[in-house]
Amino acid sequence: MAIDSLRAVLPDLAPWHASRDFRRLWFSGLVSNFGSFLTFVALPVQVKELTGSAAAVGAIGAVELVPLVVFGLYGGALADALDKRTLIVWTEVGQGLLSAALLVNALLPEPAVWPLYLVAGLSAVLFSVQRPALDSLWPRIVAHEHLPAATALNSLRWTVGGVAGPAVAGIVVAYAGLGWAYAADAFTFAVSVALTVRIAASPAAHEAAQPSWRAIAEGARYAWGRKELLGTYAVDLAAMFLAMPLAVLPFLADELDAEWSLGLMYASLPAGAMLVSLTSGWTSRVHRHGRAVVVAAALWGVAIAGAGLVGNVWLALLCLTLAGGCDMVSGIFRGAMWNQTIPDELRGRLAGIELLSYSAGPTVGQVRSGGFAAWLGVRTSVWSGGALCAGAVGLLALCLPALMRYDVRTDEHAARERERRAAAGAGAVSAP
């Protein structure tokens, strides 16, 4: 009985056992995510050291915003029209070269600030091209019924790197220097490329449109017609824009007289997400995914508000951990809705739109949190953002009833995709 209860909570490993390409991509992402989180911590720390300005740190998000918007949308069209594996491999190569550029700058006698912003912008371009290809590839290599489990396992991969990367980065930056963090990131991209080139080719679907602004508009019209999908984008965008505190964490640690806690602060959000991923077996028994997205996003805002209100560093870390868990719950069910209902020929373009919600939101959120911190103070920036988030999510739930009604068992789009995959005999799923 105890074993059955444990299995009901632990992650579902069916995608791992069924698909060799899933395993390879999972390991590739695990390695590169770890390295990326090293740079994720090192870059704002270096900007802070060189400028001493919270607004300058928040400006990193402003530099990344335009590439995310423009290239995210066009990257989605590319993902539908080109081989997805090729896009993923070459963007990984580019990211590795950018990490090497950061290393060179860090080793200069007087490192410059402008290369940090330039690399941040170019990295956003490559990420925007890669992520739609990656997100639209999962449904090709994983059986339809295994997609929620695959989403949870991918989240676990991300959170392992998110916990270990910032924790290690805090030590590396403090005791070895920024250069070592950038060098390790470049090495992890090399390992990731070596794994990714071994997955099977994934050419465009026969029905896919050639990359163009007309094709992008077609994807946007489809998304607009699916109000439940529109709701997931809007909820996540509101949560990330209003309540993402990453840009001000170096200053929050200072205000709490706990400079040593910066690495833990960066690690707390993914640590909470990892705890949810490790106990994600229950998610397969939830069918009203829209309601789960709304509740989890609202609780994310409440937890972030708590992190800004408390004056004790350990309570702040606890609140950040709870926030990360709530964000992961929201992410699992958003991913399930997207992967189980969007047609293959539109998946890349819809993934580009998804990119705006889960990437552009945090990017603009850095600008908001940095600006509010400079204007009203660091802790006020954090707690007010969380409170605004909770209120905005509640308002969106009232305005988008289709999101609250969504049920994977009865949704027509999910049923159509189940039938299509059954008719195809799941032929696209790779061998074990």
Side-chain angles (χ1 to χ4, degrees):
M1 188 71 178
I3 294 178
D4 291 339
S5 299
L6 182 62
R7 288 176 177 172
V9 173
L10 292 177
D12 182 358
L13 298 179
W16 181 280
H17 296 308
S19 174
R20 179 179 58 242
D21 282 349
F22 178 84
R23 294 193 295 272
R24 286 173 177 167
L25 274 179
W26 194 93
F27 277 117
S28 170
L30 178 67
V31 172
S32 64
N33 283 343
F34 172 80
S36 295
F37 274 107
L38 292 177
T39 296
F40 180 74
V41 173
L43 187 63
V45 168
Q46 188 172 19
V47 173
K48 174 178 177 287
E49 289 180 354
L50 294 175
T51 66
S53 168
V57 176
I60 296 174
V63 171
E64 294 171 338
L65 177 60
V66 173
L68 284 172
V69 173
V70 175
F71 289 93
L73 291 173
Y74 198 73
L78 288 173
D80 280 336
L82 302 177
D83 186 279
K84 303 180 195 303
R85 180 189 63 179
T86 300
L87 284 174
I88 294 169
V89 168
W90 283 108
T91 49
E92 283 287 278
V93 171
Q95 292 280 24
L97 293 175
L98 291 178
S99 297
L102 288 174
L103 171 61
V104 171
N105 183 62
L107 295 177
L108 294 175
E110 295 184 7
V113 175
W114 67 264
L116 306 182
Y117 291 110
L118 177 62
V119 168
L122 293 175
S123 180
V125 171
L126 294 175
F127 175 79
S128 300
V129 173
Q130 182 189 84
R131 191 57 185 262
L134 186 60
D135 286 348
S136 60
L137 179 59
W138 298 117
R140 287 191 172 188
I141 62 176
V142 176
H144 186 269
E145 64 273 16
H146 294 159
L147 285 171
T151 301
L153 289 173
N154 283 329
S155 300
L156 177 61
R157 174 204 66 187
W158 178 84
T159 56
V160 169
V163 172
V168 172
I171 298 173
V172 171
V173 170
Y175 296 102
L178 293 160
W180 283 98
Y182 297 140
D185 190 17
F187 174 76
T188 61
F189 278 118
V191 175
S192 175
V193 169
L195 289 169
T196 305
V197 295
R198 299 182 63 195
I199 69 172
S202 184
H206 295 300
E207 305 87 354
Q210 291 301 305
S212 66
W213 292 111
R214 182 177 180 180
I216 293 171
E218 179 186 359
R221 284 193 299 270
Y222 177 85
W224 183 261
R226 295 278 310 277
K227 300 306 182 187
E228 70 281 10
L229 285 185
L230 192 65
T232 65
Y233 303 148
V235 166
D236 190 46
L237 189 63
M240 296 297 99
F241 169 64
L242 294 171
M244 179 55 74
L246 295 179
V248 299
L249 290 184
F251 301 91
L252 181 62
D254 290 347
E255 286 215 0
L256 295 176
D257 294 323
E259 293 82 356
W260 53 268
S261 69
L262 178 58
L264 293 178
M265 285 188 176
Y266 278 115
S268 293
L269 291 171
M274 184 173 68
L275 291 174
V276 169
S277 299
L278 288 171
T279 57
S280 61
W282 60 273
T283 59
S284 62
R285 298 187 293 277
V286 176
H287 306 291
R288 295 185 178 274
H289 298 164
R291 293 186 181 183
V293 168
V294 168
V295 171
L299 291 176
W300 150 272
V302 171
I304 291 296
L309 289 170
V310 299
N312 179 277
V313 64
W314 294 108
L315 290 177
L317 290 170
L318 176 61
C319 288
L320 291 173
T321 302
L322 292 173
C326 293
D327 185 47
M328 178 52 60
V329 172
S330 177
I332 288 174
F333 291 114
R334 288 197 313 271
M337 289 177 67
W338 298 338
N339 290 332
Q340 289 186 312
T341 67
I342 298 173
D344 184 68
E345 67 273 13
L346 287 167
R347 200 175 298 279
R349 280 166 283 175
L350 270 293
I353 297 174
E354 293 158 19
L355 179 69
L356 298 183
S357 67
Y358 61 67
S359 295
T363 301
V364 182
Q366 291 190 68
V367 181
R368 186 214 65 82
S369 62
F372 270 46
W375 178 33
L376 299 173
V378 173
R379 292 176 62 185
T380 300
S381 172
V382 176
W383 73 254
S384 64
L388 288 170
C389 165
V393 169
L395 183 61
L396 286 169
L398 292 175
C399 296
L400 295 166
L403 177 62
M404 300 297 287
R405 289 196 304 265
Y406 177 86
D407 189 322
V408 69
R409 297 168 297 185
T410 58
D411 179 76
E412 61 176 310
H413 303 283
R416 189 177 300 123
E417 279 300 294
R418 282 194 295 268
E419 292 170 2
R420 184 189 66 81
R421 293 290 292 268
V429 179
S430 64

